[in-house]
Amino acid sequence: MPQFDPSTWVSQIFWLIITFGVLYFLLSKLALPRLASILEERENRVSGDLEKAERLKQEAEEVLADYQKAIADARTSALAALKESADKIAATGAKRQAEFDAQLKEKVQIAEDKISAARTEALSHIKDVATEVASAAAGKLLGADVTESKVSKAVDEALGGRG
């Protein structure tokens, strides 16, 4: 093997140094700057994407906070409207109940007045009818005329002084 022959080592070292120098020059002037710019560009893109993601995250949190506030406001508004409607319904119900109670009280009063008038009339007729019947019965039983004032007095006592 010629690589192991010590007489060719000087030329091999010479060409190794020349090749290494050319390779080093090409890498340092052409390839490495390109790689460095690609890495720098990638780093800038990643940091820009991270900044954009952070900004979008903050915007999303703001939108979420606004949404939650809008939901809370809508809920509060709905509860207020519901309470207002319930109060209106309760007020309307109370008003109708009061009107119904007033009408019912008026009708009860009218009915009581009619009953009282009918009772008074019936009692006044009962007295007259009772006086006539008692007078006729006493006349038939006793065979004599009984005075109407005595019969009226007896009927008054029997009715308890209502007439």
Side-chain angles (χ1 to χ4, degrees):
M1 284 188 93
Q3 299 90 308
F4 295 120
D5 183 16
S7 65
T8 61
W9 283 1
V10 174
S11 71
Q12 286 179 14
I13 290 175
F14 173 75
W15 285 112
L16 176 68
I17 292 173
I18 296 289
T19 307
F20 182 74
V22 169
L23 187 61
Y24 179 78
F25 177 76
L26 288 175
L27 285 176
S28 67
K29 297 297 180 191
L30 297 176
L32 290 178
R34 285 184 187 171
L35 287 175
S37 68
I38 289 171
L39 289 175
E40 185 179 335
E41 181 183 325
R42 182 177 287 168
E43 183 181 330
N44 289 339
R45 188 176 339 136
V46 167
S47 65
D49 288 347
L50 288 175
E51 289 173 3
K52 184 178 179 182
E54 184 64 32
R55 193 173 57 249
L56 289 174
K57 180 183 173 188
Q58 289 175 351
E59 289 177 9
E61 288 174 352
E62 290 173 5
V63 167
L64 179 63
D66 290 344
Y67 174 74
Q68 288 174 340
K69 184 181 182 296
I71 292 280
D73 290 346
R75 185 174 286 131
T76 303
S77 152
L79 288 174
L82 184 63
K83 185 180 183 315
E84 182 180 333
S85 296
D87 290 346
K88 282 182 181 179
I89 290 171
T92 303
K95 181 181 174 185
R96 287 183 180 173
Q97 183 66 36
E99 290 173 357
F100 178 73
D101 288 346
Q103 289 175 353
L104 187 62
K105 187 176 180 180
E106 183 179 320
K107 288 180 180 180
V108 166
Q109 185 61 42
I110 291 171
E112 285 178 355
D113 290 346
K114 285 181 180 179
I115 289 171
S116 178
R119 185 175 191 205
T120 303
E121 184 180 337
L123 285 177
S124 70
H125 287 300
I126 286 178
K127 184 179 175 188
D128 293 341
V129 169
T131 303
E132 288 177 18
V133 169
S135 172
K140 288 212 175 202
L141 287 176
L142 297 176
D145 279 337
V146 180
T147 62
E148 196 169 309
S149 63
K150 286 183 181 179
V151 172
S152 179
K153 189 175 179 184
V155 168
D156 283 341
E157 286 178 11
L159 291 177
R162 288 188 233 166

